[in-house]
C-alpha cells in the first residue's frame, strides 16, 4: 500500500507492508502536504532499534491507527542512518521541545518542513501520563486546524533556534589551544567516571569510546597513571559485562544498568569499530594481553558475521529475534546443559565451569534466563573451580566454541545489511591499523578488500562519495563524516601497506571536502554545497555515538599537512579546532574527537620518512619501532629507494639511503633531525620530540 517497497534501507523495508501510507523522505511528500494542506508526520528510526519495533507493532501495523494517520497527515518514514542530516535537524527540534531525544522519533512538520511539535516513542494506550499516539495525533490535528497562527509562531521559533551555530562564538586564534586546556578537559572527564564500574555516569551506560580514546592520548602525553587506571577499569568492566557477547564477540550498543550487565542487545558496526581500536591502543600502551584478546575477538566477529562477500561491512544486527529482545543471546542452565553435553567427555566439567565462569543461576538475570557475563576475573574463578588459570582458559575456549555452534542453530536477530561509507571507514581504519600492529596478514587482506570495495562502489566517476550501498545499488550524497572517516581509513591502509594509491585517494577526498563542505567562517557543514536544500544546512560539531565530522576531518587534515607540507590543510583544521577550544574545556564529552585533534596541534606531529629495502632486517626493525608503540601523533611514509625528485607523498621527496643503508628522517614541520639508521636511534629521536 505504501511507497517504501522500492527503498534499499532495511529499516524502511520493515515498514513496506504497514497499512500506513508511508512516503520516503523527498519533495513528493511535501508537495502532497502543501496541496492537501496537511501537516507532515515524520517518523525516524533505524532497523536495530527495539523501541522502534515496539511502536511499529503497536501503532504502524494497527489498522485503526493507520487509518487515522492516513486521514490526518502525510506520513514520512526516514532511516536515520541513511539520512543523518534529516535526523540531526529534527532531533535538535525534539530536544528543544521535550528536553531529550531518542528513537523512534516522532515529529510534526508544517508543509514547508518546519517542525512545530515532536517527541520520541508514544504508546498505543495512554500510559504514565504520556498520551496515546492516537490522542496525540488528534490534538495535533485540532491545533493545526484551529491554532494555525500559534503553530506558525512555534515553528518559526524552532527554526530560528536550529540555525544557531556553535562555531560562531569561538575564538579566532590559537590562544585557547594549550596543554592546560587539554589537562582541564581530561580532569573533567576523569571526574565523571564511575570509580566502581567504570564508564561515564550512572545508567543507561554507553561505552563512549571517543572520550576514552582521548584519555589514552592524555596518558600518553602526560603519564597520568590515574587516567590509565580508570580507563583500564572501564575496559575490563565492559568486557566482563553482558554488554559484551561472551560467546561470539562484539559489544551491544549500551547497558540499561550501571554495571554493564543488561544490554539492549543490538550490535552496531560503529561501536565495534571504535571499541576494537580502543582495546588495540590500550594493548599497545599496557601490553595487557586481555586488551589484545578483546580486540581480536571483535575483529574476528566482524569478519565472520558482518562482512559482505564483496568486502564491505554490514551496519547492525537487531536486538530482537522471534519477537523477543535478547532471545538469541541468553541461556537457561538447562539449555546450557543440553548444548554442552556433546563435549562432556573431553571437557567433563564443562557445565560446572560455564555456570561458574559466566555467572549463571537457576533464576537467571534476565527474564528467567542468563545473560552470560564474567562476575569475577578468571584467575579468581579458577581458584573457585580448583583449576589453574591456563586450564580454565583452555576449557572456556572449548565451551565457547560449542555454545556458539549451538547458538548458531537458533533464529538469528535481523541483519541490517546496508553498507554505510562512514561506518565502514571507522571499521576499516581500525582493521588496517590492527593488521600492522598485530602483524595479521588475514586482517590486512580483509582491509585491502574493504578498501577496494569502498573506492569502487562508494565513489562516483567525479570522486564524490555515496552514503549507502545495498543489493548492488549505491545512492545518496555522501556526508562530511563519510569523507572524514574514509580518509582516516585510507591513511591507515597506506601506513599498513605503503601502497601510495591509498594515500592519493585520501588526498583527493580531502580536496573534495575542502571544496564542497567548507564554511566561509571556518569549519565544515555536514552536507555538501550541492546537497538537497533542507530547512537549515546542518553543521554539528559535537560528537554523538560516532565522532563529529568536523573533529574527524580536522584530524585527517592535520595528518595530510604533515605528509604534504601544505598550509591549506593545516589552516582548515585549525579553523575548526580553535573555535571549539573553550567548548572543549567545558564540555569534553561532547567534543572529545576535537580534543584528539587539539592534542595533535598542541604536541605537534612527528613526520617520519623511511628509505630502505623492505626485505632488509634493519628496515623491518625500524618499521616495528615506528608501528608497534602507541604513537597517535605520528605519520610514517616509506619508499624502497632514493627519491630524488617530487613524489606523490611530498614527505618522501629528496630522501635517500645513507651509504646504501636504510635511513630514517624524523621531522616536524618538514624540519628534520639528522637521519637515523637503526631502530634504537629512531625510537630515541621520536622520544626526544
Amino acid at each position: 500500500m505504501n511507497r517504501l517497497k522500492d527503498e534499499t534501507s532495511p529499516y524502511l523495508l520493515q515498514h513496506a507492508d504497514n497499512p500506513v501510507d508511508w512516503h520516503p523522505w523527498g519533495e513528493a511528500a511535501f508537495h502532497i502536504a502543501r496541496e492537501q494542506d496537511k501537516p507532515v508526520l515524520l517518523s525516524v528510526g533505524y532497523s536495530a532499534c527495539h523501541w522502534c519495533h515496539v511502536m511499529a507493532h503497536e501503532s504502524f501495523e494497527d489498522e485503526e491507527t493507520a487509518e487515522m494517520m492516513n486521514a490526518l497527515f502525510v506520513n514520512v518514514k526516514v532511516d536515520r542512518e541513511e539520512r543523518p542530516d534529516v535526523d540531526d535537524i529534527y532531533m535538535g527540534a525534539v530536544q528543544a521541545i521535550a528536553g531529550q531525544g531518542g528513537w523512534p522519533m516522532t515529529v510534526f512538520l508544517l508543509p514547508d518542513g518546519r517542525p512545530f511539535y515532536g517527541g520520541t516513542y508514544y504508546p498505543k494506550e495512554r500510559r504514565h501520563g504520556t498520551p496515546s499516539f492516537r490522542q496525540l495525533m488528534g490534538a495535533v490535528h485540532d491545533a493545526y486546524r484551529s491554532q494555525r497562527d500559534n503553530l506558525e509562531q512555534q515553528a518559526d521559533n524552532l527554526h530560528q533556534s536550529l540555525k544557531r551555530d556553535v562555531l560562531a562564538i569561538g575564538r579566532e586564534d590559537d590562544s585557547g589551544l594549550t596543554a592546560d586546556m587539554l589537562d582541564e578537559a581530561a580532569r573533567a572527564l576523569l571526574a565523571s567516571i564511575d570509580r566502581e564500574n567504570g564508564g561515564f555516569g550512572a545508567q543507561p551506560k554507553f561505552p563512549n569510546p571517543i572520550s576514552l580514546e582521548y584519555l589514552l592520548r592524555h596518558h600518553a602525553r602526560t603519564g597520568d597513571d590515574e587516567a590509565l587506571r580508570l580507563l583500564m577499569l572501564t575496559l575490563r568492566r565492559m568486557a566482563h559485562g553482558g554488554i559484551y557477547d561472551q560467546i561470539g564477540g562484539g559489544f551491544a550498543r549500551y547497558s540499561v544498568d550501571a554495571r554493564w550487565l543488561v544490554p539492549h542487545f543490538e550490535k552496531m558496526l560503529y561501536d565495534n569499530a571504535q571499541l576494537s581500536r580502543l582495546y588495540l591502543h590500550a594493548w599497545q600502551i599496557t601490553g595487557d594481553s586481555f586488551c589484545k584478546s578483546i580486540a581480536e575477538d571483535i575483529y574476528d566477529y566482524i569478519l565472520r558475521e558482518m562482512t559482505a562477500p564483496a568486502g564491505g561491512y554490514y551496519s547492525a544486527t537487531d536486538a530482537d529475534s522471534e519477537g523477543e529482545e535478547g532471545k538469541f543471546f541468553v541461556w537457561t542452565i538447562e539449555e546450557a546443559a543440553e548444548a554442552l553435553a556433546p563435549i562432556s567427555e573431553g571437557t567433563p566439567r564443562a557445565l560446572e565451569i560455564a555456570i561458574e565462569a559466566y555467572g549463571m543461576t537457576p533464576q537467571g538475570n534476565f527474564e528467567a534466563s542468563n545473560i552470560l557475563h564474567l562476575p569475577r576475573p578468571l584467575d579468581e574463578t579458577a581458584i573457585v573451580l580448583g583449576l589453574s588459570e591456563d586450564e580454565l582458559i583452555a576449557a572456556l575456549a572449548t565451551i565457547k566454541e560449542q555454545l556458539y555452534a549451538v547458538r548458531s542453530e537458533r533464529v538469528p536477530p535481523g541483519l541490517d545489511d546496508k553498507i554505510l561509507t562512514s561506518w565502514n571507514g571507522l571499521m576499516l581504519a581500525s582493521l588496517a591499523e590492527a593488521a600492522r600492529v598485530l602483524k595479521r596478514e588475514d586482517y590486512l587482506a580483509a582491509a585491502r578488500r574493504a578498501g577496494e570495495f569502498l573506492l569502487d562502489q562508494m565513489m562516483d566517476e567525479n570522486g564524490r562519495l555515496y552514503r549507502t550501498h545495498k543489493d548492488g545499488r549505491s545512492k545518496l550524497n555522501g556526508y562530511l563524516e563519510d569523507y572524514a572517516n574514509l580518509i582516516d581509513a585510507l591513511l591507515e591502509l597506506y601506513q599498513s601497506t605503503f601502497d601510495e594509491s591509498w594515500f592519493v585517494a585520501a588526498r583527493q577526498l580531502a580536496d573534495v571536502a575542502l571544496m564542497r563542505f567548507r564554511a566561509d567562517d571556518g569549519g565544515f557543514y555536514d552536507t555538501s554545497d550541492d546537497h538537497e536544500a533542507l530547512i537549515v544546512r546542518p553543521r554539528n560539531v559535537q560528537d554523538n555515538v560516532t565522532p563529529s565530522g568536523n573533529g574527524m576531518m580536522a584530524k585527517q587534515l592535520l595528518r595530510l599537512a604533515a605528509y604534504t607540507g601544505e598550509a591549506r590543510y593545516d589552516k582548515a583544521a585549525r579553523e575548526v579546532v580553535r573555535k571549539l577550544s573553550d567548548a572543549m574545556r567545558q564540555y569534553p564529552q561532547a567534543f572529545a574527537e576535537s580534543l584528539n585533534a587539539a592534542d595533535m596541534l598542541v604536541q605537534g606531529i612527528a613526520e617520519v620518512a623511511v628509505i630502505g629495502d623492505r626485505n632488509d632486517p634493519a628496515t623491518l626493525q625500524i618499521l616495528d619501532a615506528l608501528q608497534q608503540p602507541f604513537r597517535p601523533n605520528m605519520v610514517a611514509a616509506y619508499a624502497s629507494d632514493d627519491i630524488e625528485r617530487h613524489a606523490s607523498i611530498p614527505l618522501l621527496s629528496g630522501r635517500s639511503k645513507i651509504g646504501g643503508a636504510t635511513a630514517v628522517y624524523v621531522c616536524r614541520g618538514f624540519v628534520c633531525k639528522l637521519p637515523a639508521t637503526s631502530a634504537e636511534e629512531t625510537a630515541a629521536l621520536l622520544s626526544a620530540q
Side-chain angles (χ1 to χ4, degrees):
M1 176 175 177
N2 63 50
R3 297 162 173 81
L4 302 183
K5 63 180 177 62
D6 294 325
E7 293 297 309
T8 58
S9 158
Y11 175 66
L12 298 187
L13 291 172
Q14 287 173 357
H15 296 269
D17 295 324
N18 291 168
V20 178
D21 185 15
W22 290 118
H23 297 252
W25 178 271
E27 172 55 30
F30 289 94
H31 176 77
I32 293 171
R34 291 190 296 271
E35 198 173 60
Q36 298 181 3
D37 191 24
K38 285 183 177 180
V40 171
L41 192 164
L42 173 65
S43 176
V44 182
Y46 58 100
S47 72
C49 166
H50 173 70
W51 286 101
C52 298
H53 299 330
V54 173
M55 191 167 178
H57 296 325
E58 289 180 345
S59 295
F60 305 148
E61 296 171 8
D62 179 72
E63 294 285 351
E64 291 184 21
T65 303
E67 185 178 352
M68 186 175 183
M69 293 174 69
N70 296 340
L72 303 184
F73 303 98
V74 174
N75 303 290
V76 174
K77 177 62 78 173
V78 166
D79 181 343
R80 66 174 295 264
E81 296 166 356
E82 283 197 339
R83 292 301 303 257
D85 51 343
V86 173
D87 179 63
D88 184 63
I89 290 168
Y90 293 104
M91 183 60 73
V94 167
Q95 288 170 333
I97 293 164
Q100 61 184 8
W103 300 276
M105 178 166 65
T106 308
V107 197
F108 297 93
L109 320 178
L110 297 176
D112 63 5
R114 289 179 298 152
F116 61 86
Y117 191 73
T120 54
Y121 162 77
Y122 290 98
K124 185 176 180 180
E125 307 295 339
R126 183 177 178 85
R127 188 186 307 163
H128 307 305
T130 301
S132 73
F133 186 45
R134 279 190 279 185
Q135 283 177 319
L136 175 70
M137 288 193 292
V140 168
H141 171 72
D142 290 345
Y144 188 79
R145 293 300 171 208
S146 62
Q147 302 177 44
R148 183 72 64 87
D149 289 345
N150 289 341
L151 293 190
E152 286 280 353
Q153 184 61 54
Q154 187 165 331
D156 189 58
N157 291 340
L158 274 171
H159 190 201
Q160 293 305 315
S161 72
L162 293 172
K163 292 180 178 180
R164 293 183 190 132
D165 192 342
V166 174
L167 284 181
I169 60 173
R171 299 193 187 202
E172 296 295 333
D173 57 32
D174 290 354
S175 59
L177 300 176
T178 63
D180 176 68
M181 181 275 288
L182 297 176
D183 291 342
E184 187 169 336
R187 285 193 294 270
L189 286 174
L190 292 170
S192 62
I193 286 185
D194 177 343
R195 258 53 179 180
E196 180 179 354
N197 301 300
F200 298 96
Q203 60 187 46
K205 191 169 277 186
F206 289 79
N208 205 334
I210 314 170
S211 293
L212 294 173
E213 185 74 34
Y214 177 67
L215 290 179
L216 265 186
R217 281 178 170 267
H218 169 72
H219 167 76
R221 181 175 60 86
T222 66
D224 185 341
D225 289 333
E226 177 74 350
L228 185 61
R229 184 185 73 80
L230 291 173
L231 172 80
M232 290 302 292
L233 169 72
T234 299
L235 296 187
R236 285 189 175 276
R237 290 286 193 269
M238 286 196 304
H240 285 169
I243 191 175
Y244 187 68
D245 182 353
Q246 303 295 335
I247 301 304
F251 283 89
R253 184 165 163 256
Y254 68 95
S255 170
V256 302
D257 61 284
R259 298 185 297 123
W260 308 106
L261 176 61
V262 180
H264 266 310
F265 291 86
E266 66 264 36
K267 289 185 187 178
M268 314 302 294
L269 178 65
Y270 59 73
D271 282 322
N272 288 289
Q274 294 175 91
L275 287 166
S276 58
R277 206 172 185 183
L278 178 65
Y279 279 89
L280 178 72
H281 292 165
W283 175 69
Q284 287 180 288
I285 285 179
T286 65
D288 190 327
S289 60
F290 170 79
C291 293
K292 180 186 177 190
S293 69
I294 296 298
E296 289 180 320
D297 278 354
I298 298 172
Y299 295 127
D300 294 344
Y301 151 68
I302 293 295
L303 294 179
R304 184 179 63 244
E305 299 185 27
M306 299 297 288
T307 302
Y313 307 114
Y314 299 137
S315 293
T317 53
D318 211 324
D320 298 3
S321 53
E322 300 182 80
E324 294 183 28
E325 185 184 10
K327 183 174 182 179
F328 180 78
F329 297 99
V330 298
W331 298 83
T332 64
I333 289 179
E334 292 74 21
E335 288 170 336
E338 182 180 351
L340 295 173
I343 65 167
S344 59
E345 187 173 329
T347 310
R349 299 173 63 191
L351 180 61
E352 178 191 0
I353 292 169
I355 290 171
E356 196 64 47
Y358 293 129
M360 300 176 73
T361 64
Q363 66 272 20
N365 54 29
F366 181 77
E367 298 178 359
S369 291
N370 290 278
I371 300 169
L372 303 189
H373 66 292
L374 301 182
R376 65 176 77 85
L378 289 183
D379 58 346
E380 296 179 18
T381 298
I383 293 171
V384 171
L385 289 166
L387 300 171
S388 71
E389 188 173 354
D390 287 344
E391 288 173 329
L392 175 59
I393 290 170
L396 282 177
T398 303
I399 289 166
K400 285 171 64 173
E401 184 178 353
Q402 178 65 14
L403 291 179
Y404 183 85
V406 172
R407 195 178 78 175
S408 298
E409 300 294 319
R410 296 175 174 177
V411 177
L415 172 68
D416 187 321
D417 59 351
K418 70 177 179 294
I419 294 171
L420 297 173
T421 301
S422 164
W423 298 5
N424 270 247
L426 291 172
M427 190 68 243
L428 176 52
S430 181
L431 187 66
E433 186 176 3
R436 68 174 181 269
V437 171
L438 301 175
K439 298 185 177 180
R440 292 281 298 262
E441 287 298 323
D442 54 338
Y443 291 175
L444 187 58
R448 280 196 175 104
R449 287 182 66 239
E452 289 163 359
F453 171 84
L454 291 169
L455 293 183
D456 182 53
Q457 296 294 320
M458 306 304 282
M459 183 186 291
D460 70 14
E461 63 276 8
N462 298 312
R464 304 289 297 278
L465 292 178
Y466 295 110
R467 171 66 174 180
T468 185
H469 176 96
K470 188 177 182 296
D471 297 335
R473 286 177 60 194
S474 298
K475 67 176 190 178
L476 302 179
N477 288 346
Y479 298 90
L480 178 67
E481 66 175 12
D482 295 307
Y483 285 81
N485 291 346
L486 185 51
I487 292 167
D488 184 29
L490 294 171
L491 291 179
E492 292 302 329
L493 257 177
Y494 166 69
Q495 291 187 100
S496 292
T497 63
F498 294 121
D499 176 345
E500 292 187 9
S501 65
W502 301 118
F503 176 86
V504 170
R507 189 172 182 183
Q508 288 171 343
L509 289 176
D511 290 343
V512 171
L514 287 171
M515 179 185 301
R516 295 291 186 176
F517 291 84
R518 199 171 178 191
D520 292 339
D521 60 346
F524 296 85
Y525 290 105
D526 293 335
T527 56
S528 61
D529 56 2
D530 56 354
H531 193 80
E532 170 195 354
L534 302 170
I535 59 168
V536 294
R537 188 177 178 188
R539 178 160 58 160
N540 193 342
V541 293
Q542 297 186 40
D543 301 319
N544 200 296
V545 290
T546 56
S548 79
N550 272 269
M552 179 63 83
M553 184 60 78
K555 277 175 57 181
Q556 305 321 313
L557 291 172
L558 290 172
R559 295 169 85 188
L560 286 169
Y563 273 118
T564 65
E566 290 207 19
R568 64 194 179 98
Y569 295 136
D570 182 83
K571 180 175 184 290
R574 286 178 186 273
E575 285 180 347
V576 176
V577 181
R578 66 168 53 126
K579 293 198 170 188
L580 294 174
S581 57
D582 294 331
M584 288 188 284
R585 185 186 290 264
Q586 292 181 274
Y587 310 107
Q589 276 199 56
F591 298 98
E593 189 65 6
S594 296
L595 278 165
N596 291 330
D599 179 73
M600 297 171 83
L601 276 170
V602 170
Q603 290 206 79
I605 299 177
E607 308 144 2
V608 182
V610 181
I611 311 295
D613 183 350
R614 192 77 177 267
N615 296 317
D616 183 342
T619 305
L620 295 176
Q621 289 174 4
I622 287 167
L623 291 175
D624 276 353
L626 293 174
Q627 295 176 336
Q628 295 307 300
F630 180 60
R631 302 190 190 279
N633 295 336
M634 181 195 78
V635 298
Y638 165 82
S640 60
D641 216 331
D642 299 359
I643 305 293
E644 296 180 1
R645 290 188 292 277
H646 178 72
S648 58
I649 301 176
L651 180 57
L652 293 171
S653 294
R655 310 297 185 197
S656 61
K657 298 177 184 176
I658 296 179
T662 300
V664 185
Y665 299 82
V666 178
C667 318
R668 284 180 185 266
F670 274 60
V671 176
C672 304
K673 303 284 188 181
L674 289 173
T677 56
S678 71
E680 293 76 16
E681 290 175 356
T682 301
L685 284 176
L686 287 167
S687 297
Q689 293 286 334

